[in-house]
Amino acid sequence: MGDTLIKVEDLCKIYNPGENEVRALDHVNLEIKTGEFVAIIGQSGSGKSTFMNMLGCLDVPTSGKYYLNGTDVSTMKDNDLSVVRNKEIGFIFQGFNLIANLTALENVELPLIYRGIDRKTRRKLAVESLKKVGLEKRMDHKPNEMSGGQQQRVAIARAIAARPPVILADEPTGNLDSASSREIMEILKGMHRSGETLI
């Protein structure tokens, strides 16, 4: 295992502070090293999504510290957080979150545009990551021309194209049948074997 990539200290998230407060996260401590494959499990309402949102810099804690790659991101403002998200984290969502009128290739290229990567490099990275998930023959297809499993593979390719240090997968098989789910888990395991850090 590598260096500490994620360190969470006494993380709390309280909604509706006061009498009817909800403690979604109550003093969570966690360390994740580079190259780990970590599953966050628990029953519905136990704070998994809240925690994933914290780790993904989509939300900030009420109290506690979150160090990502050595940087304290728990006190950052929105603008700085979006820069961190863009650089450090690849997201894979349950709902795929693909853009309907873009091809697989264009969907994968989109975050690379935000990162200011030039067109030629962008294209190369997008093609490489689509090949990694076995979609080299479907690059010009739009989401509605693909199965759920294929759409999720496009989403994985989009998450890994810029080679971020952390891949956050929030119920990545939640919308898929069991065969597609197995396929997606195999892809994620393969990514882990090649050195990716997955949560």
Side-chain angles (χ1 to χ4, degrees):
M1 286 299 144
D3 304 326
T4 298
L5 185 54
I6 281 174
K7 188 170 190 195
V8 168
E9 292 178 346
D10 277 332
L11 206 67
C12 293
K13 183 66 176 183
I14 300 169
Y15 294 107
N16 194 16
E19 271 176 50
N20 303 319
E21 70 180 27
V22 177
R23 286 182 169 263
L25 298 174
D26 201 356
H27 298 284
V28 176
N29 290 283
L30 176 69
E31 222 173 277
I32 296 173
K33 303 246 190 276
T34 303
E36 280 198 275
F37 194 154
V38 177
I40 296 165
I41 55 176
Q43 67 241 52
S44 182
S46 61
K48 299 187 298 293
S49 292
T50 303
F51 193 43
M52 287 295 265
N53 286 345
M54 298 287 152
L55 294 179
C57 298
L58 294 163
D59 198 357
V60 288
T62 308
S63 63
K65 292 281 183 201
Y66 172 22
Y67 299 96
L68 176 58
N69 247 339
T71 304
D72 181 2
V73 293
S74 45
T75 54
M76 280 187 178
K77 299 283 172 274
D78 285 353
N79 289 356
D80 299 329
L81 275 178
S82 64
V83 171
V84 170
R85 271 200 304 274
N86 212 352
K87 287 239 294 277
E88 305 279 340
I89 299 159
F91 289 98
I92 306 167
F93 299 100
Q94 179 175 351
F96 318 143
N97 292 21
L98 300 175
I99 293 173
N101 57 352
L102 296 184
T103 64
L105 193 61
E106 291 165 339
N107 265 291
V108 175
E109 278 186 311
L110 197 58
L112 304 174
I113 295 173
Y114 294 136
R115 291 184 68 166
I117 294 172
D118 68 88
R119 178 168 296 193
K120 200 175 157 200
T121 311
R122 222 161 53 210
R123 181 57 47 110
K124 185 170 156 285
L125 289 172
V127 168
E128 274 173 17
S129 64
L130 282 163
K131 280 183 179 160
K132 274 186 196 163
V133 298
L135 284 180
E136 56 269 36
K137 300 213 165 54
R138 311 294 302 241
M139 292 200 269
D140 297 323
H141 289 65
K142 291 187 175 162
N144 66 355
E145 302 167 316
M146 292 189 256
S147 70
Q150 287 168 334
Q151 289 183 58
Q152 190 58 297
R153 283 195 268 162
V154 175
I156 291 173
R158 179 185 58 191
I160 62 175
R163 310 207 175 103
V166 183
I167 304 288
L168 272 186
D170 195 0
E171 300 208 26
T173 59
N175 279 340
L176 303 174
D177 60 44
S178 54
S180 299
S181 295
R182 278 196 297 276
E183 199 175 80
I184 294 304
M185 284 313 294
E186 281 310 313
I187 290 174
L188 295 177
K189 285 182 195 162
M191 285 159 53
H192 172 242
R193 283 193 292 273
S194 69
E196 299 272 6
T197 307
L198 280 117
I199 305 173

